[in-house]
DNA sequence: TTGACTCTCCTAAGATCTTGGGATGGCGGA
DNA sequence: TCCGCCATCCCAAGATCTTAGGAGAGTCAA
């Protein structure tokens, strides 16, 4: 037990100081050090894309080995990546080799083989989901087989959750480009996508149900959608709704 | 740092052994000890009701002071509880006094006053969302003002997530692997995503409207979705629906 | 100042969805 | 053969959404 105490202290030390990290660079450096101490060689923090939308804009931190991210994106590997697909189906952290091959097994194996060539042999993935159901993940990678016990993985879990929270605060102020929906409309639509009724959304936002109904009406008109379900799909397709 | 090490070791010790806890009683005892060591006096682990539904059936562990839970339920306090309402709107842990008063402020303050009489003066709440999108929470309470630093809260956060995962497994409500949609169901859902009503879909597929409604019903149940809009989003997330 | 836009709130009817309960026939595996 | 799953169909009440009108208050820029 004694020899393990080092990284635990490190993680808790990070937890204690992360509020003082004022920019993404600082967070990245801090995380990199801890990730190495936990016995991993690289990592990525990212939201998960839907509808064949690109992965790039959802990435919060990319510390994968040089070239692999570009390869991954250009080949649209997310669609066949068993780890990526498994994150969408679970909310518990898992070791990479526990992720089932869900879709095209040949392509998946080819992808995992390529990943290994880039030094991604094994890993640990922490799914992170927000209140609206959009999922993100903090994935730790290693260039050989991982030999980590429950404590190391728990420390990684805690690190992932804490770091992600801080990153969202730091990055969340990105000024959006020209958009067709107003901020309030987008907010209403996010909750609709999460399955909330107009009444539920009104309670969540602290406004009247009538106002939510009006917002949804405007959304349908702007997006030329037949109903709210269609509006959500259209919004996802044109990037008005980010699964993040 | 030295004086803080006790509870950290305790939490990590729990993380290491929780897989061996084979019944709810054992988990409750283990959690109770750690919660006390972290400086809290009581706690509750529960799912969150929507739409005036009762709270009772969603409770996994209730270690609140005697009588308060009964009072809370009989008065339907969840509807005015700022902590309960805030959990629905956020996914990050928060201290009770950070939760905004969203609705009837008078009733909310009355409720919080009553809670204080029962020994719930302050607390820390960890929202938890599962892969299915249903939200739960692990709420730690204390009978006086909390004096907890980031490390204690981080430990509580980790404890909440780990314990909740184990409870879900033990209670058997662990999200069983999502059943896949049948080809017909997928076909119906594709048209729903395109904004078609049940009647329109029935005409497109050459079947009755009743059949389409039945398919949508089955889809919602399989995907644990609150409504068809939610079902479409879930299906997209888990890859049941391909982008058209 | 005016106009455009946003956010808020309201009523009300009719369409649609949701939920509960049924039923039949076919198909394939144990 | 029996059982489970699939696809199809039906009814009905109640909840929710959709559509069509309206209105007031605030911001911002021309």
């Amino acid at each position: 037990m004694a020899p393990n105490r080092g990284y635990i202290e490190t993680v808790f030390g990070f937890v204690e100081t992360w509020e003082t990290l004022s920019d993404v660079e600082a967070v990245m450096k801090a995380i990199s050090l801890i990730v190495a101490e936990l016995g991993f060689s690289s990592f990525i923090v990212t939201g998960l894309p839907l509808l064949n939308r690109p992965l790039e804009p959802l990435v919060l931190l990319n510390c994968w080995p040089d070239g692999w991210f570009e390869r991954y994106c250009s080949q649209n590997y997310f669609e066949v990546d068993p780890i990526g697909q498994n994150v969408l189906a679970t909310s518990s952290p898992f070791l990479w080799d526990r992720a089932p091959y869900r879709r095209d097994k040949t392509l998946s194996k080819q992808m995992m083989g390529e990943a290994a060539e880039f030094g991604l042999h094994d890993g640990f993935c922490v799914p992170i989901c927000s209140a609206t159901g959009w999922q993100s993940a903090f994935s730790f990678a290693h260039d050989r087989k991982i030999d980590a016990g429950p404590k190391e993985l728990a420390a990684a879990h805690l690190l992932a959750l804490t770091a992600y929270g801080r990153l969202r605060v730091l990055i969340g102020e990105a000024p959006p480009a020209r958009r067709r929906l107003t901020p309030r409309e987008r907010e209403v639509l996010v909750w609709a996508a999460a399955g909330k009724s107009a009444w539920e959304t009104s309670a969540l936002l602290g406004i009247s149900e009538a106002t939510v109904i009006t917002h949804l009406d405007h959304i349908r008109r702007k997006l030329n959608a037949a109903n709210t379900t269609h509006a959500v799909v259209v919004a996802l397709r044109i990037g008005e709704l980010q699964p993040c």
Side-chain angles (χ1 to χ4, degrees), chain A:
Chain A
M1 61 195 86
N4 281 338
R5 208 161 57 72
Y7 64 82
I8 292 180
E9 287 292 336
T10 307
V11 169
F12 273 82
F14 173 73
V15 163
E16 203 169 32
T17 60
W18 61 267
E19 276 187 335
T20 66
L21 300 173
S22 57
D23 62 276
V24 176
E25 278 300 314
V27 174
M28 183 157 78
K29 282 185 184 171
I31 296 176
S32 296
L33 288 174
I34 304 177
V35 166
E37 188 162 354
L38 285 171
F40 297 97
S41 52
S42 62
F43 66 95
I44 191 168
V45 188
T46 181
L48 304 177
L50 291 183
L51 279 168
N52 274 337
R53 297 196 57 76
L55 177 66
E56 289 94 330
L58 303 179
V59 173
L60 299 184
L61 280 186
N62 168 25
C63 290
W64 269 352
D66 283 346
W68 172 240
F69 180 72
E70 292 69 25
R71 174 77 184 158
Y72 190 92
C73 291
S74 69
Q75 297 297 305
N76 205 18
Y77 272 157
F78 181 78
E79 297 299 318
V80 295
D81 179 2
I83 288 98
Q85 297 299 315
N86 197 48
V87 173
L88 293 171
T90 184
S91 55
S92 303
F94 58 92
L95 291 163
W96 284 10
D97 54 19
R98 300 282 181 84
Y101 288 79
R102 286 170 178 269
R103 303 176 70 179
D104 188 321
K105 208 164 176 176
T106 311
L107 270 178
S108 297
K109 289 204 166 177
Q110 176 195 322
M111 191 221 77
M112 294 301 275
E114 272 191 42
E117 290 174 21
F118 277 88
L120 301 166
H121 279 89
D122 197 4
F124 179 62
C125 183
V126 181
I128 301 169
C129 61
S130 65
T132 54
W134 301 126
Q135 274 180 280
S136 302
F138 194 132
S139 202
F140 303 82
H142 199 31
D143 53 16
R144 54 182 188 277
K145 186 71 185 168
I146 293 179
D147 179 30
K151 284 187 177 182
E152 283 89 345
L153 298 184
H157 189 176
L158 180 59
L159 170 66
L161 292 169
T162 308
Y164 179 80
R166 186 59 184 163
L167 284 171
R168 283 301 300 273
V169 169
L170 289 177
I171 292 181
E173 304 137 7
R178 167 189 301 202
R179 299 231 166 148
R180 304 165 70 180
L181 299 184
T182 70
R184 200 53 155 174
E185 285 165 352
R186 205 169 297 116
E187 206 170 358
V188 166
L189 194 57
V190 164
W191 288 114
K196 306 299 181 194
S197 69
W199 183 88
E200 289 170 326
T201 300
S202 76
L204 286 162
L205 298 181
I207 58 181
S208 82
E209 184 183 1
T211 304
V212 173
I213 291 173
T214 302
H215 283 312
L216 287 171
D217 191 20
H218 292 163
I219 292 166
R220 284 192 300 272
R221 291 172 195 274
K222 285 186 179 180
L223 300 183
N224 205 17
N227 53 36
T228 300
T229 301
H230 194 198
V232 167
V233 174
V234 171
L236 284 169
R237 192 168 285 145
I238 67 176
E240 280 284 2
L241 278 189
Q242 290 245 329
C244 188

